[in-house]
Amino acid sequence: MTTTDQSPDQPAHVEAKAAILLVLMGALIVAFVLYVMYARGVFEPTQRLFLETDNSEGVAPGMDLTFAGFPIGRVSQVELSTDGKVRILIDVPSKDAKWLRMSSVFTLERSLVGETRLRAYSGVLTDPPLPAGSVRTVLRGDVSEQIPRMVASARELLENLVNITSPGSHVDATLANVDTITGRMAGRYGLLGGALGGDVEAKKMLETLDRVNALIARADQRVFGKHGVVDDSQDAIRQLNGLLKDARTTLQKVDSVLVEAQGVAANARTATSDLAPLRGEVEASLRKVNRLVDEINRKWPFAHDTEIKLP
Amino acid sequence: MRSPSILATNPRLWGARAGRYLRSWGYMIHLGAVALVMAFTPSTWNRANRLSTSRYIYASTWQVLPWFTVLTALIGLVVIRIVLVTARSYGLSSFALEMLVRVLVLELIPLSAAMFAALRSSMAFDAAALGLARSGLPTAAAGAEAVRELRRDLVPQVLANAFAVLSLAMTSGAIVLLLAYLNVYGLSPWGLTEYTRTVARIFDPIVTIGFALKTILFGLAVALVPIAAILELQRYPRRLASSVQPGALRLLFVLLLIEAGSLAIKYI
């Protein structure tokens, strides 16, 4: 407060005003620091996620990890692991961790213009949630890495195109041929001239056709005309009919011969049936002879030979 | 008269001039160290010093703050509009906010606050001391009087000027942050989350510490360089005839050096 040592031109309440300023500035600085700390997630519980990739280009601490366009995490550190891979350490606030599932896929996309983007895709939100401290591999989609390959392919394509369209190339020759053919087609004999290679050939072709026509007319005369091939054939068919009639008569005669042969065969069967009683009679006579011989043997004591000698 | 350039002097005197130049810088740094030590010594803060500090704070900050803030808000608004419209026309509006905060809040506002504080208070004080030195008093007596005044007011003056730079930069920075939000998102509160994330991305620990350090160094430079120059002037009375404000060029040089150093650390 102003006191006795205050000079006459001293403004009023200078100490109070200075104190107000000091307090206000102090409050402003503290508020700003607290706001920045809040913004950087110092007061928020987080869980750690490790992403692995082979190239950390474009990844910087403070970068966002987005899910469906919403930032759900922040890169806190990028380091090189012992096996030479890049480890990206990400802090995901606990309230946003529900968007990360076991089946989540992480991508790192670099575009030609603009910053690198780190994205998470969770297709199945019913999967179990991603536990804290998980390690996942990042899929890289780098447009600029594909440019050299694309340029090489484009150059190859252009070279091929140049080869195709250059004078003396196949396409050029084909087009020249097409031009020749269409030029011929425009001639007197049209398509025929184009197909055969010129008017002279087309003319020959037409002459040939005329000759073929004349030939067909003559053939018609020979085949279907008077005393033609068809007439001769009809005569031949008639003669064939006569021959067939003769053949039929001959067959009838053969039939009668066969009937007679059947009669002979029947007689032979009757004779065969008479043979059985005859055979019985012979067998009975033989048995009688046998008995007679046995009887003579009994009565003939000197004879030891019991063999019966049939007559 | 001071020679215009070291190249205009005899090459045999180059060594002597370089030595004097280095001594001058050394004196300035020594004075700064003394002022800081005195500022952190409790016995310095007697009633007279407190009142003196209050007076300087009042002069360098209270009187300037409102219209400096209005001025930076207006200029900031124009820059924000230009950047936003241009960024939108190129489809780069997502980068506009970050660029605005980086350019305006981190670089331009602290620098302009430092320049402003230097013009408003330090140079004014120098002019008073110069006037005293150029008064009808004999050179030695005037010099002694000026040195006595400066010594008495050294710590309050240094603190007040440093505080002025800090206050002007912080207040204007906060206002410009608010204006940037309003221009990008309008009066809707729904952009706050995204805005907070952008701010978080910009103010990583290195940038924040760099920003604080830069502002404090600006404050110290503005407070110290002109005072050191005027005190040194008393030792070389021949230079009083110079029409150049003592320390002005050196202050500009130091400010640019700090700014360049800060930029190099942050972006290289």
Side-chain angles (χ1 to χ4, degrees), chain B residues 39-234:
Chain B
F40 287 108
T41 309
S43 62
T44 311
W45 297 104
N46 55 26
R47 171 110 193 103
N49 263 348
R50 281 210 304 275
L51 186 64
S52 179
T53 311
S54 302
R55 207 161 46 231
Y56 280 119
I57 287 178
Y58 177 82
S60 63
T61 311
W62 182 277
Q63 288 184 335
V64 184
L65 192 61
W67 58 272
F68 178 78
T69 310
V70 170
L71 205 65
T72 43
L74 277 176
I75 295 171
L77 199 60
V78 172
V79 175
I80 289 168
R81 288 304 304 171
I82 291 172
V83 170
L84 277 185
V85 169
T86 316
R88 266 188 205 136
S89 68
Y90 285 107
L92 300 170
S93 47
S94 53
F95 304 104
L97 191 63
E98 189 168 337
M99 184 191 156
L100 279 173
V101 175
R102 280 188 190 278
V103 172
L104 280 179
V105 178
L106 289 183
E107 309 301 338
L108 288 185
I109 288 178
L111 192 62
S112 55
M115 297 278 202
F116 199 81
L119 286 174
R120 176 76 178 82
S121 48
S122 307
M123 298 298 181
F125 182 83
D126 286 354
L130 264 179
L132 185 68
R134 283 171 179 163
S135 65
L137 286 170
T139 313
E145 176 63 22
V147 168
R148 207 163 40 246
E149 268 189 33
L150 282 174
R151 289 237 165 100
R152 194 187 62 211
D153 287 343
L154 181 68
V155 173
Q157 169 108 30
V158 167
L159 282 184
N161 283 342
F163 178 72
V165 174
L166 202 64
S167 321
L168 296 182
M170 286 302 294
T171 317
S172 307
I175 297 282
V176 166
L177 277 177
L178 191 68
L179 283 175
Y181 177 84
L182 290 177
N183 267 284
V184 175
Y185 300 103
L187 280 171
S188 147
W190 305 117
L192 207 56
T193 316
E194 203 184 328
Y195 182 75
T196 304
R197 291 198 79 87
T198 309
V199 170
R201 203 165 51 234
I202 297 166
F203 284 93
D204 61 23
I206 293 176
V207 170
T208 313
I209 292 170
F211 173 64
L213 265 182
K214 186 174 76 170
T215 316
I216 291 168
L217 283 179
F218 273 169
L220 285 179
V222 165
L224 270 177
V225 176
I227 294 176
I230 201 79
L231 283 177
E232 206 180 17
L233 205 60
Q234 309 305 324

Side-chain angles (χ1 to χ4, degrees), chain A residues 1 8 35-36 54 78 131 140 151 178 184 192 207 274 280 303:
Chain A
M1 281 288 125
Y35 174 64
V36 169
D54 51 358
V78 184
R140 285 184 66 86
V151 169
V178 169
R184 280 188 210 143
L192 199 59
E207 284 169 4
D274 288 344

Side-chain angles (χ1 to χ4, degrees), chain A residues 210-225:
Chain A
D210 287 344
R211 260 184 247 153
V212 168
N213 272 338
L215 196 65
I216 289 170
R218 242 180 288 155
D220 191 47
Q221 178 77 27
R222 284 287 180 86
V223 174
F224 298 107

